[in-house]
């Protein structure tokens, strides 16, 4: 169902007719000419169990405010897209400058999903693209779609969570069926599944993988797990925002480029439910969608991606013009230049009672596949940075209450202003400052947490279905020393931060170049990075410029050597 609300019956009729023309018979278009009539319709649909995909309403209604109505619609119909409509103003522009404060507030507080002025002449130009984008997102979440795998297992089994999380972060479509559900029992019977070896992953061709590793899933999905060559112009380590940007620019500028990624496209940013401050996306964009767009872009430009390999060593090839990356299984690949963009990992709490429940109610990073499983439950998010705020807002769409635990005395110290405002106005998100987790309990899954007030040292036992931990990050660079110089926390030193005593050449290091000439670092793994998606993308892009300067040096050195040998 699509609901169009406005104060002018003729205006509402025109919009509804345009939507009917394009989206019937898949959607039925309903109308209301007041807030009261719209609320009555919303209640009727809810009681009847009808699926509401989108509500489009004027900002100003004869008896109410359109933003308030959208909030009421979201309470009754979770997941329905919210489209705010504005009258075209005297300037006849696509941005309603006369109503800009209201639009800015609604957007900043996450009260709308999209907006549009109504002065369209051709609905193909303004109306349909906005509505289609919203309906596509709704359909992916609520209607049957393309599925590659069906998974049967226990919701809170860490092995099952790892499989589902791996597929989710890599954008592989699947359906999960608990073993004790009707669909789960049917799949066990139809495919003769061995319930003692769950989780079972059923491929689209009917074959079954039991407790598959990421390597087995990658092979099953046709993903390359070995480089196609032994030597490349550029090897990028990590497929987060910095690595993807380096891959796009490296491949587009003619470098034979290989990207090595151990687990997931997008890194930590790829798990963000919504990034609202990324350039060029006024309505925000999901981290996974942004990452997969970049992956497709890099792939089409010629970059090669290899997954599931853990890099454990960096060395030279003996001739001095190649860098060799060694894999955990003994294999290796060489390149004339390397970009280290492996990112960081969330720091562990180090509490034994919680560590043993990792994947069974205790999660490090964003909600991912677990959000639906905590519907109606009490959940906690630990952390005070943007990733924690985004996770809390995402979980609030499903959980009964989300409590954000922050060690410090203010959200503003580590979180973007727009996220702070959204957290503050979300009714089922509570913020507890000066609070830390010191313990937990549970048998096969998490049941509760022990919280401590850092000022009074008083502790409190609270029930918890899940806790998502995002308490700072550690670089994954243990294997790099002493090949490149690191700071005391393991972040890679680059450019002017490289100590003179560690730099072997007469020239200064190029921007983002490490203490090893020809090896560069970008994104969160680099000392001094700003820890923002846009910053990582910028660093990855600019680093390729330094790579070109380095490769030019190599070519000049080779030419001089050739002339010297000829002489």
């Amino acid at each position: 169902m699509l609901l169009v609300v406005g104060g002018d019956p003729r205006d509402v009729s025109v919009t509804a007719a345009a939507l009917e023309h394009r989206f019937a018979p898949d959607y039925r278009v309903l109308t209301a000419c007041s807030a009261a009539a719209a609320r009555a319709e919303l209640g009727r649909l809810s009681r009847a169990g009808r699926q509401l995909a989108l509500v489009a309403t004027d900002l100003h209604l004869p008896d109410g405010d359109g933003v308030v109505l959208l909030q009421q619609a979201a309470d009754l119909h979770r997941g329905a897209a919210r489209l705010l409509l504005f009258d075209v103003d005297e300037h006849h522009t696509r941005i309603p400058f006369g109503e800009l404060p209201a639009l800015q507030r609604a957007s900043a507080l996450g009260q709308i999903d999209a907006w549009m002025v109504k002065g369209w002449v051709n609905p193909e130009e303004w109306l349909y693209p906005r509505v289609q984008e919203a309906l596509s997102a709704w359909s992916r979440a609520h209607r049957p779609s393309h599925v590659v795998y069906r998974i049967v297992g226990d919701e809170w089994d860490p092995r099952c969570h790892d499989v589902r999380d791996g597929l989710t972060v890599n954008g592989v479509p699947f359906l999960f069926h608990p073993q004790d559900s009707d669909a789960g029992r049917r799949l066990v019977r139809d495919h003769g599944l061995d319930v003692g070896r769950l989780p079972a992953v059923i491929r689209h061709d009917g074959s079954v993988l039991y407790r598959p590793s990421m390597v087995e899933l990658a092979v099953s999905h046709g993903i390359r797990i070995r480089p196609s060559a032994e030597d490349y112009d550029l090897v990028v380590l990590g497929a987060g925002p910095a690595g993807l940007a380096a891959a796009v620019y490296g491949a587009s500028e003619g470098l034979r480029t290989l990207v090595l990624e151990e687990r997931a496209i997008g890194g930590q940013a790829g798990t963000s439910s919504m990034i609202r401050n990324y350039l060029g996306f006024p309505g925000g964009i999901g981290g996974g969608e942004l990452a997969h767009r970049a992956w497709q872009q890099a792939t089409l430009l010629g970059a090669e991606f290899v997954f599931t390999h853990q890099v454990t060593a960096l060395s030279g090839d003996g001739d001095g013009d190649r860098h060799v990356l060694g894999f955990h299984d003994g294999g290796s690949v060489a390149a004339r230049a390397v970009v280290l963009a492996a990112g960081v990992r969330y720091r562990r709490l180090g509490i034994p009672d919680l560590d043993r429940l990792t994947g069974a109610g205790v999660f490090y990073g964003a909600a991912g596949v677990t959000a639906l499983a905590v519907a109606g439950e009490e959940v906690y998010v630990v952390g005070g940075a943007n990733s924690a705020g985004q996770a809390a807002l995402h979980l609030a769409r499903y959980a009964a209450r989300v409590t954000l635990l922050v060690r410090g005395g203010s959200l503003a110290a580590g979180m973007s202003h727009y996220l702070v405002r959204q957290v503050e106005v979300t009714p089922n998100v509570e913020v507890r400052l000066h609070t830390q987790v010191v313990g937990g309990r549970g048998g096969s899954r998490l049941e509760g947490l022990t919280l401590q007030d850092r000022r009074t040292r008083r502790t409190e036992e609270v029930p918890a279905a899940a806790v998502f931990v995002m308490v700072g990050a550690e670089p994954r660079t243990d294997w790099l020393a002493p090949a490149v110089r690191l700071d005391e926390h393991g972040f890679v030193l680059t450019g002017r931060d490289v100590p003179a005593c560690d730099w072997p050449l007469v020239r200064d290091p190029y921007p983002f170049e490490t203490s090893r000439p020809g090896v560069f670092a970008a994104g969160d793994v680099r000392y001094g990075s700003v820890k923002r998606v846009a910053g990582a993308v910028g660093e990855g892009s600019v680093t390729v410029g330094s790579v070109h300067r380095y490769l030019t040096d190599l070519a000049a050195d080779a030419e001089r050597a050739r002339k010297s040998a000829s002489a």
Side-chain angles (χ1 to χ4, degrees), residues 97-152:
F97 289 108
E99 301 284 6
L100 192 55
L103 174 58
Q104 289 173 329
R105 176 176 173 78
S107 179
L109 297 182
Q111 297 170 322
I112 60 177
D113 298 307
W115 57 270
M116 189 193 73
V117 294
K118 296 184 298 179
W120 46 270
V121 175
N122 178 359
E124 301 278 1
E125 184 180 7
W126 290 7
L127 178 65
Y128 293 155
R130 291 293 175 93
V131 173
Q132 183 61 67
E133 183 178 0
L135 292 182
S136 294
W138 181 86
S139 295
R140 286 193 295 270
H142 296 90
R143 303 183 78 175
S145 58
H146 174 65
V147 170
V148 178
Y149 302 105
R150 287 171 293 169
I151 301 173
V152 178

Side-chain angles (χ1 to χ4, degrees), residues 201-479:
V201 178
I202 305 170
R203 284 170 42 94
H204 54 86
D205 62 2
S207 59
V208 179
L209 299 173
Y210 289 102
R211 299 177 181 174
S213 66
M214 287 299 295
V215 173
E216 291 172 317
L217 283 172
V219 171
S220 169
H221 201 57
I223 298 299
R224 186 184 295 276
I225 63 169
R226 293 284 178 186
S228 63
E230 297 179 352
D231 195 19
Y232 293 83
D233 295 323
L234 174 64
V235 168
V236 180
L237 180 56
L244 289 169
V248 166
Y249 278 84
S252 68
E253 295 173 13
L255 299 178
R256 187 174 189 186
T257 301
L258 171 69
V259 181
L260 300 172
E261 171 53 51
E262 184 178 346
R263 181 172 176 83
I265 298 168
Q268 287 188 10
T271 66
S272 296
S273 57
M274 182 60 63
I275 302 170
R276 291 195 177 272
N277 59 354
Y278 192 78
L279 184 68
F281 293 91
I285 184 170
E289 182 181 357
L290 180 65
H292 280 80
R293 287 187 183 192
W295 167 69
Q296 292 179 32
Q297 186 178 17
T299 299
L300 293 175
L301 287 169
E304 178 182 333
F305 284 78
V306 169
F307 292 91
T308 74
H309 271 304
Q310 180 182 354
V311 178
T312 57
L314 172 65
S315 61
D317 66 349
D319 295 329
D321 63 348
R322 292 291 188 276
H323 307 280
V324 179
L325 291 164
F327 302 143
H328 68 288
D329 62 357
S332 64
V333 67
R336 293 196 293 159
V338 173
V339 173
L340 304 172
V344 294
R345 58 189 166 208
Y346 286 112
R347 187 174 294 117
R348 299 278 170 150
L349 289 176
I351 301 172
D353 286 341
L354 293 180
D355 286 345
R356 68 179 180 80
L357 294 174
T358 299
V362 178
F363 306 99
Y364 289 88
V369 299
T370 315
L372 289 173
V374 299
E377 303 271 14
E378 296 269 345
V379 301
Y380 289 78
V381 176
V382 183
N386 280 3
S387 54
Q390 290 163 349
L393 292 172
H394 178 62
L395 287 164
R397 299 168 58 187
Y398 306 94
R401 184 172 65 172
V402 181
T403 302
L404 190 59
L405 304 176
V406 183
R407 287 170 56 90
S410 169
L411 275 183
M415 193 177 294
S416 294
H417 179 61
Y418 79 94
L419 274 175
V420 174
R421 294 179 66 190
Q422 283 185 252
V423 167
E424 289 174 345
V425 301
T426 303
N428 63 330
V429 175
E430 177 186 349
V431 178
R432 293 185 57 167
L433 304 175
H434 304 290
T435 305
Q436 62 185 3
V437 178
V438 295
R441 65 184 184 279
S444 59
R445 57 169 289 192
L446 180 70
E447 297 173 5
L449 297 171
T450 304
L451 308 182
Q452 183 184 68
D453 187 307
R454 300 185 70 234
R455 297 164 299 182
T456 65
R457 298 298 176 184
R458 292 182 55 186
T459 60
E460 175 187 0
E461 300 289 329
V462 296
V467 59
F468 301 87
V469 184
M470 303 171 198
V471 289
E474 301 171 328
R476 297 182 286 182
T477 56
D478 299 344
W479 59 276

Side-chain angles (χ1 to χ4, degrees), residues 49-93:
R50 303 301 298 271
Q51 288 186 301
L52 184 68
L54 178 141
V55 183
T57 179
D58 286 357
L59 171 62
H60 300 294
L61 298 171
D63 57 344
D65 180 280
V67 175
V68 173
L69 178 63
L70 290 177
Q71 290 177 286
Q72 294 168 338
D75 291 339
L76 286 173
H77 300 271
R78 288 196 170 188
R82 303 161 298 171
L83 176 61
L84 189 61
L85 304 175
F86 296 87
D87 290 320
V88 65
D89 65 13
E90 61 187 34
H91 305 291
H92 283 246
T93 59

Side-chain angles (χ1 to χ4, degrees), residues 533-551:
V533 176
V537 170
E539 290 191 10
S541 306
V542 173
T543 298
V544 175
S546 294
V547 168
H548 278 295
R549 295 174 69 181
Y550 170 75
L551 295 179

